[in-house]
Amino acid sequence: MVNVSKDAAGTRLALVTGGGGGIGAAVCRELAQSGYRVVVSDLDAHRAAAVAAGLGAPHAAHAFDVSDEAAVENAFDDIERRHGPVAVLVSAAGLLLFQADGERPLIKNTTLDIWERSFAVNARGVFLCGRAYLRRREARPLAHGRVVTFTSVAAQLGGYRSSASYIAAKSAVLGLTKAMARESAHLGITVNGVAPGLIDTDMLRSTVTSSGALEAAARAIPLGRIGAAQDVAAAVRFLASEEAGYITGSIIDVNGGYRMQ
Ligand SMILES: NC(=O)c1ccc[n+]([C@@H]2O[C@H](COP(=O)([O-])OP(=O)(O)OC[C@H]3O[C@@H](n4cnc5c(N)ncnc54)[C@H](O)[C@@H]3O)[C@@H](O)[C@H]2O)c1
């Protein structure tokens, strides 16, 4: 029988990777405000702890590296032992790497190290966390299971500001999201992604090489502004909700009209 996935207080548990980052932290706040109990996860333990402290009890932090297979499995075991089954997994951890001189690497200059590190976090990390979640929900089913992945407008457009390794890894997430959606549908779990456009976080600002570049970029966006982390968090909140239960294998664009399909 499928359990309703709520604890004694009627709260669903949400695990957010990259929860110490700009968008991830906004997702944590949004889900906490919507009544979820949130485990804020990040590679950076201090950032995760600061976000969890801002949310207050009963929310918690749990630092782990999404690219490390053993660390992911141990973290899921630990989190479920301490806090109960994860109902909602949000894979927001991401990494955009540059050359030593701060420029985005062209393919001809991309080292194998940059390629592998980009895939390790942006693609393998989503796979490892998704697999850990599905294994546990198959063993202990819950109603309204949800996975939300993070791809990017860079994957959809070929990217103007990011690098080939990032674009390719985020493209892998587009396919993985659909594969995961098919393989988990029998459990009543939906798997969807968000594809942010230009969102004002450290990651976006790391791509800015000249003054006025962001203002110029904003002028190319039909809604006339760079997005806020909260814009993305609202889409994640919807995909995590019970009312989004007939949506799976989809990607929601959150880009101000920058790319319309
Ligand atoms: N900001 C944008 O314009 C934009 C656009 C499209 C997609 N995205 C995607 O949105 C997501 C959130 O991005 P953001 O803008 O908040 O970036 P951010 O750099 O502010 O946050 C990313 C977080 O991921 C964490 N992280 C990195 N490697 C990790 C690892 N190995 N294990 C666990 N955590 C790790 C970082 O510590 C950081 O806190 C990312 O997946 C990013 O690729 C962002």
Side-chain angles (χ1 to χ4, degrees):
M1 196 177 109
V2 174
N3 180 299
V4 290
S5 77
K6 295 178 179 176
D7 66 12
T11 311
R12 279 157 66 75
L13 187 69
L15 169 61
V16 181
T17 74
I23 295 173
V27 169
C28 290
R29 288 191 289 273
E30 185 73 22
L31 294 181
Q33 277 164 15
S34 302
Y36 296 83
R37 194 147 60 94
V38 178
V39 175
V40 184
S41 175
D42 204 281
L43 181 63
D44 185 327
H46 296 294
R47 292 174 80 165
V51 172
L55 301 179
H59 310 287
H62 196 110
F64 65 92
D65 180 349
V66 297
S67 70
D68 180 328
E69 182 176 29
V72 170
E73 286 295 323
N74 289 338
F76 268 78
D77 281 345
D78 243 29
I79 289 165
E80 297 219 335
R81 193 166 44 243
R82 285 185 203 186
H83 307 290
V86 176
V88 175
L89 167 65
V90 180
S91 277
L95 183 64
L96 177 58
L97 294 166
F98 294 93
Q99 298 172 163
D101 63 3
E103 292 295 321
R104 71 179 193 141
L106 300 177
I107 292 173
K108 63 184 179 184
N109 300 324
T110 298
T111 62
L112 191 57
D113 176 57
I114 283 198
W115 181 269
E116 300 287 4
R117 281 167 60 212
S118 180
F119 265 77
V121 177
N122 295 309
R124 187 206 299 167
V126 182
F127 156 67
L128 288 175
C129 292
R131 187 182 69 174
Y133 173 82
L134 292 183
R135 282 175 170 169
R136 284 158 185 79
R137 293 298 62 82
E138 193 152 278
R140 187 177 173 186
L142 301 173
H144 314 300
R146 299 281 184 264
V147 178
V148 182
T149 63
F150 271 68
T151 177
S152 171
V153 73
Q156 298 165 320
L157 288 178
Y160 297 105
R161 321 172 71 82
S162 53
S163 60
S165 63
Y166 179 83
I167 293 162
K170 288 294 186 183
S171 298
V173 175
L174 287 173
L176 177 61
T177 301
K178 294 174 194 171
M180 232 193 296
R182 284 193 196 280
E183 290 191 20
S184 57
H186 69 287
L187 296 170
I189 294 169
T190 68
V191 184
N192 296 287
V194 287
L198 305 183
I199 307 298
D200 193 359
T201 68
D202 289 349
M203 185 181 283
L204 178 68
R205 289 190 175 268
S206 72
T207 69
V208 175
T209 48
S210 59
S211 69
L214 279 187
E215 291 72 12
R219 285 195 291 276
I221 297 171
L223 286 177
R225 65 174 174 88
I226 300 294
Q230 180 56 36
D231 293 320
V232 184
V236 173
R237 190 230 313 123
F238 170 65
L239 290 173
S241 71
E242 291 185 20
E243 58 190 326
Y246 200 57
I247 301 172
T248 199
S250 292
I251 303 292
I252 294 187
D253 293 348
V254 188
N255 62 26
Y258 188 58
R259 184 200 82 112
M260 300 183 193
Q261 58 176 351

